[in-house]
Amino acid sequence: MIWFDSIVESKVSGDQIRRAISAMTGDAYHDISIIRDILDLSEQPVTCLVQELPVGGFAQQLTFYVEDRFSSVRSRLSIDEAAQLLSMGLGVNVMIANDASASPYAMILLDRKGGSTSVNVNSTLLDEQGIYRLDQGGFPSVPPVSETLP
């Protein structure tokens, strides 16, 4: 069963992910599976699907799955808490969907020091190129003046 999706600012290794999840959930390092294709989903207590993102924004999407029989970890930690622990454990900024907003571009940016901020991602870049890049100041992206001049 899917636990949560996260978008990480820079590339992280399978070893880093296993260590962070192990510290967060208490599962043994070897009980955490790292996969690159959903068809490889296993019956490990926790599985992380790692997907590389296009260059120009955040680097990877990490999707976490928890086996139903190990779902107690999901009841102990909210998604926000789990993502914050992930950010701190990996030492990178992490974004998750802002479920309090109706906008599909609204995210929560969790920093590696324990802080969080509501942000928006650039809708054009995400929709057209799959690039997760923050809008500046939370406002819709406007191309620089030099790009709009003939």
Side-chain angles (χ1 to χ4, degrees):
M1 174 176 274
I2 192 166
W3 185 14
F4 70 96
D5 279 310
S6 61
I7 309 296
V8 294
E9 184 175 40
S10 53
K11 288 187 179 189
V12 293
S13 69
D15 178 65
Q16 288 175 288
I17 296 167
R18 281 187 180 98
R19 288 180 191 280
I21 294 299
S22 179
M24 179 192 332
T25 65
D27 289 304
Y29 179 94
H30 64 273
D31 285 338
I32 300 164
S33 176
I34 307 297
I35 60 173
R36 304 243 176 227
D37 187 323
I38 191 66
L39 296 176
D40 296 328
L41 192 60
S42 67
E43 293 186 15
Q44 295 289 87
V46 180
T47 299
C48 178
L49 172 62
V50 178
Q51 296 172 291
E52 305 299 322
L53 295 174
V55 174
F58 277 58
Q60 293 172 315
Q61 180 172 345
L62 307 180
T63 303
F64 294 94
Y65 298 85
V66 177
E67 272 294 301
D68 286 339
R69 66 181 187 256
F70 298 101
S71 62
S72 65
V73 69
R74 292 173 39 150
S75 62
R76 285 193 324 255
L77 293 171
S78 71
I79 291 172
D80 291 358
E81 291 168 328
Q84 186 67 72
L85 290 171
L86 178 68
S87 175
M88 293 166 55
L90 293 175
V92 299
N93 294 336
V94 171
M95 280 193 305
I96 58 172
N98 184 345
D99 292 334
S101 172
S103 170
Y105 308 106
M107 307 288 273
I108 298 172
L109 179 65
L110 304 152
D111 71 52
R112 57 187 161 256
K113 295 179 183 175
S116 66
T117 305
S118 293
V119 296
N120 289 308
V121 293
N122 180 303
S123 59
T124 303
L125 284 174
L126 182 58
D127 290 344
E128 294 177 6
Q129 299 174 42
I131 295 173
Y132 284 87
R133 187 180 303 159
L134 299 180
D135 271 344
Q136 298 303 313
F139 297 102
S141 292
V142 177
V145 174
S146 61
E147 291 181 17
T148 60
L149 297 176

